[in-house]
Amino acid sequence: MKIGVPKEIKNNENRVGMTPAGVFELVNQGHTVYVQSTAGEGSGFLDAVYQEVGAVILETIQDVYQSSEMIVKVKEPIQEEYALIQPNQIVFTYFHFASSEALTLAMLKSNAICIAYETVEDEEGTLPLLTPMSEVAGRMAIQQGAKYLEKPIKGRGILLGGVPGVTPGKVLILGAGVVGVQAAKMAAGLGAHVTIMDVNMKRLRYVNDIMPSHVVTEYSSVYNIKKHIQTHDLIIGGVLLKGGKAPKLITRDMLKDMRPGTVLVDVAVDQGGCMETTKATTHEDPTFIIDDIVHYCVANMPGAVPYTSTLALTNVTLPYVLKLANKGWEQACAEDKSLALGLNIVSGKIVYGEITEAFDWGMQYA
């Protein structure tokens, strides 16, 4: 198979869809890999290293799309890429269709085979291709939140860990999934007081078992959220509905109950966000302020730490890339149920129900 690795062109996205190690495996199994020039530089992988393991370097993104039967990316195609995608071309990447009607319509029009990292699901019901980036984003949420609590950036002027004689900051985490647990781990490590909320008691029991005593769990309800937002300094939104839009747990009206300088970090922004005031931002312009509340809503948080993120992502995507390359998408998905769940759009038809539900399209594109 001919496999293309284009350079990511989303704002400040420095990750790359395949490392030289992945190229080596594919070339060794008889495939051709086209890598766009400088695609790996942001993650620390130079063109020369790709060439050493057998990649063909192409100068333009147009060349990569035109030459390839399968495209392996990190982030969803943006508008400049829509017209480059060809009928029956496999596109294997994060899509998050439920948060973008324009992207969904463009991929339907392209007649491509869209396989989404975020909906590949294993036998235990976990999302193996989303997990490593959720781990990165969860940890980064605290790192970024701690920074934006500083007064020069309009935060409350709080040091999360406090100091002797001064109480530590308070962190509220909505969702006890991968993002929430990793955020809690980082916040606890800094010495903050952490409250983590979820509707899944099994997850709350797990968190209670593994976390230190200054991480407390509480059942998530509107009443409890309204109570805690009044006293917490940093609020992390880490709620995920597989393939669907995130629920709005914090409304615009709730902002008035928060103290000025409270920081909101919405890690669920890729899925539309779990806060009503969320709008996607970039690493170049990461925050905005509404009613004196600082919002950090960067849609590709792991892109800021591309070396770590690229290695973590490609560790888990490469086995699936190899299956798709060796067997073709139809046989690979027929033999691997977890990969089959990654199929979102196939030749102009939506095959993942949560997408039609997100836009209330019914059977229109099924």
Side-chain angles (χ1 to χ4, degrees):
M1 185 179 283
K2 296 175 181 177
I3 299 140
V5 183
K7 183 173 182 175
E8 300 293 327
I9 56 176
K10 191 165 187 171
N11 182 282
N12 278 281
E13 181 52 71
N14 292 296
R15 289 172 289 180
V16 64
M18 196 177 301
T19 64
V23 173
F24 178 86
E25 290 292 335
L26 285 159
V27 171
N28 202 39
Q29 295 187 34
H31 305 290
T32 302
V33 182
Y34 300 106
V35 177
Q36 186 182 346
S37 180
T38 72
E41 278 190 1
S43 295
F45 305 113
L46 302 179
D47 287 354
V49 182
Y50 283 107
Q51 287 177 307
E52 286 174 10
V53 294
V56 178
I57 303 297
L58 297 179
E59 285 300 317
T60 70
I61 193 169
Q62 290 85 356
D63 291 339
V64 173
Y65 275 94
Q66 288 170 9
S67 304
S68 305
E69 297 165 273
M70 175 165 64
I71 296 294
V72 179
K73 282 174 47 60
V74 178
K75 292 302 291 179
E76 75 283 351
I78 62 174
Q79 189 171 357
E80 295 93 313
E81 294 171 274
Y82 292 170
L84 301 177
I85 297 170
Q86 304 168 63
N88 299 315
Q89 191 171 51
I90 303 166
V91 184
F92 193 32
T93 189
Y94 288 118
F95 278 106
H96 299 289
F97 281 118
S99 65
S100 176
E101 186 173 347
L103 171 66
T104 305
L105 290 170
M107 293 305 99
L108 285 165
K109 184 179 178 182
S110 74
N111 285 309
I113 313 300
C114 301
I115 307 178
Y117 291 163
E118 71 273 10
T119 65
V120 172
E121 184 177 333
D122 64 21
E123 292 176 356
E124 284 100 34
T126 63
L127 305 172
L129 306 190
L130 188 62
T131 295
M133 294 303 94
S134 295
E135 290 168 338
V136 172
R139 294 183 176 210
M140 279 191 70
I142 299 302
Q143 187 172 299
Q144 298 299 320
K147 178 172 71 178
Y148 287 102
L149 276 170
E150 295 172 8
K151 199 65 177 179
I153 352 182
K154 308 301 182 184
R156 289 201 66 234
I158 297 287
L159 181 65
L160 273 186
V163 291
V166 181
T167 55
K170 299 181 76 174
V171 179
L172 176 63
I173 300 171
L174 305 177
V178 176
V179 167
V181 168
Q182 294 301 320
K185 186 180 293 186
M186 290 292 281
L190 288 173
H193 181 279
V194 183
T195 301
I196 184 166
M197 306 180 77
D198 205 299
V199 294
N200 185 332
M201 287 303 302
K202 184 177 180 181
R203 289 299 299 176
L204 292 181
R205 290 188 181 99
Y206 169 74
V207 171
N208 198 65
D209 285 343
I210 66 167
M211 291 291 174
S213 59
H214 58 294
V215 177
V216 297
T217 59
E218 190 163 340
Y219 188 82
S220 183
S221 66
V222 175
Y223 179 85
N224 286 337
I225 291 172
K226 282 187 171 183
K227 175 182 68 176
H228 284 302
I229 61 175
Q230 299 175 46
T231 59
H232 283 67
D233 308 300
L234 172 59
I235 301 170
I236 308 295
V239 179
L240 171 73
L241 296 181
K242 295 173 185 175
K245 280 187 176 178
K248 304 298 182 188
L249 300 182
I250 292 182
T251 64
R252 169 69 186 264
D253 190 54
M254 289 181 185
L255 299 188
K256 71 178 188 302
D257 297 324
M258 302 176 190
R259 294 173 295 188
T262 297
V263 175
L264 307 183
V265 178
D266 197 343
V267 185
V269 61
D270 269 333
Q271 296 293 106
C274 60
M275 302 170 186
E276 190 179 359
T277 46
T278 291
K279 60 180 180 181
T281 60
T282 66
H283 290 294
E284 195 169 83
D285 188 16
T287 62
F288 57 92
I289 296 174
I290 297 177
D291 296 343
D292 296 320
I293 305 303
V294 180
H295 294 63
Y296 178 96
C297 307
V298 175
N300 61 327
M301 288 174 64
V305 286
Y307 180 77
T308 298
S309 298
T310 291
L311 289 174
L313 177 61
T314 56
N315 283 343
V316 293
T317 57
L318 181 60
Y320 292 101
V321 172
L322 288 166
K323 286 180 184 179
L324 290 166
N326 289 334
K327 300 179 178 182
W329 74 268
E330 290 176 286
Q331 185 181 344
C333 290
E335 295 178 4
D336 188 330
K337 291 180 181 178
S338 63
L339 183 58
L341 288 169
L343 287 169
N344 279 209
I345 292 176
V346 175
S347 302
K349 292 185 178 181
I350 294 173
V351 295
Y352 198 82
E354 282 82 349
I355 301 172
T356 54
E357 290 172 17
F359 304 120
D360 198 23
W361 283 347
M363 299 298 290
Q364 184 177 356
Y365 295 102

